[in-house]
Amino acid sequence: MPVIRAATPLALCVLLSAASALGAPPTKEACVAANEAAQDLRQAGKLREAREKLLLCIPDACPRPVREDCVQRLNDVNAAMPTIVFEVKDPSGNDVVAARVTMDGQPLVDEVVGGAVPVDPGQHKFTFEDAAGAARTEQTVVIREGDHDRHIRVVLTAPVVTPATSSASGETPEPAEAGSPGGTQRTMGLVIGGAGVVGLVIGSVFGLISKSTYDHAFHSECGSNPSACSPQGAQDGQTAHGQATVSTVGFVAGGVLLAAGAIVYLTAPKVGTIGVAPAVGSNAAGLMVGGPW
């Protein structure tokens, strides 16, 4: 016959409550099945479920060997089952009793009254929430077997809520960067058209410079005879030719950009940001336009 250890006060309370809660006496088969199921649950670390099964095989209606085995196992489960004590406070340090606690998404206690709460060993995610649902805190804790009366302290904090800015009519305005599609488009059209004007100005300036350089070379260095130019005259002639090329590029680019700006302004396509920058080289000049089209 197995030796039965003395039941702890907790086990005695459980036994008394179980005896009063049981209705019809269990059958022999039910007692044996509950005992076997409790053993599997104990091995799996599900101590709370194991204890519920053991409560089914301790009434006097169960065979004595099964009953004695269940009592011993119940004492072992009660000794191994961890218990925790919750301490919930508000940001001012006051105790919060009306706090709901869930464990792994399942309800655990409705109020924190300071008593020990039995739980299964392992890693658990506890969620604490006040009665109004205005403050919520989560904490993940690893509970070890046999860890009794472990204190878990948390502070309930209200979530930070950023109010949405609304207009007088109650509608939420569009982000400032979105702007008016038509206004953005017309602005881009004006920018592109302005770049075209700059191109035309560059073409005009280099055209005048080219003519001045050519006239000086022709009359001063070549004596009105291109085949009799001095070395300086020949160099000035090449310079004038390069300046004329820059002038041509400026006129062409300016005309294209001016036309493009008019199209963008009048047809209102969705145009991204356009970048315009001058590009000037030794023998060439123009404008660079970049951006999505």
Side-chain angles (χ1 to χ4, degrees), residues 127-180:
T127 301
F128 307 85
E129 189 176 39
D130 66 359
R136 179 187 179 95
T137 301
E138 295 181 350
Q139 186 171 339
T140 300
V141 183
V142 176
I143 306 297
R144 296 170 178 81
E145 188 172 300
D147 192 1
H148 296 291
D149 298 339
R150 176 174 176 178
H151 287 247
I152 297 180
R153 301 174 177 85
V154 297
V155 177
L156 291 179
T157 57
V160 179
V161 179
T162 303
T165 304
S166 302
S167 60
S169 61
E171 298 179 354
T172 302
E174 295 293 330
E177 60 271 19
S180 171

Side-chain angles (χ1 to χ4, degrees), residues 203-293:
S204 300
V205 171
F206 273 86
L208 294 175
I209 295 175
S210 173
K211 185 178 185 305
S212 175
T213 303
Y214 181 81
D215 290 341
H216 177 269
F218 185 77
H219 295 292
S220 301
E221 302 294 339
C222 301
S224 301
N225 183 6
S227 60
C229 290
S230 65
Q232 182 62 43
Q235 182 177 353
D236 289 345
Q238 293 178 355
T239 301
H241 183 270
Q243 292 168 344
T245 301
V246 173
S247 175
T248 302
V249 172
F251 276 115
V252 173
V256 171
L257 290 174
L258 192 59
I263 294 174
V264 171
Y265 188 91
L266 297 176
T267 59
K270 189 176 179 64
V271 181
T273 303
I274 304 298
V276 180
V280 179
S282 58
N283 292 319
L287 292 172
M288 294 188 299
V289 181
W293 292 84

Side-chain angles (χ1 to χ4, degrees), residues 8 13 22 25 42 60 71 75 119 136 156 167 170 172 174 185 189 198 233 235 266 275:
T8 62
C13 293
L22 292 174
R42 174 66 177 89
D60 293 338
V71 171
N75 289 335
V119 296
R136 179 187 179 95
L156 291 179
S167 60
T172 302
E174 295 293 330
Q185 168 196 336
V198 173
Q235 182 177 353
L266 297 176

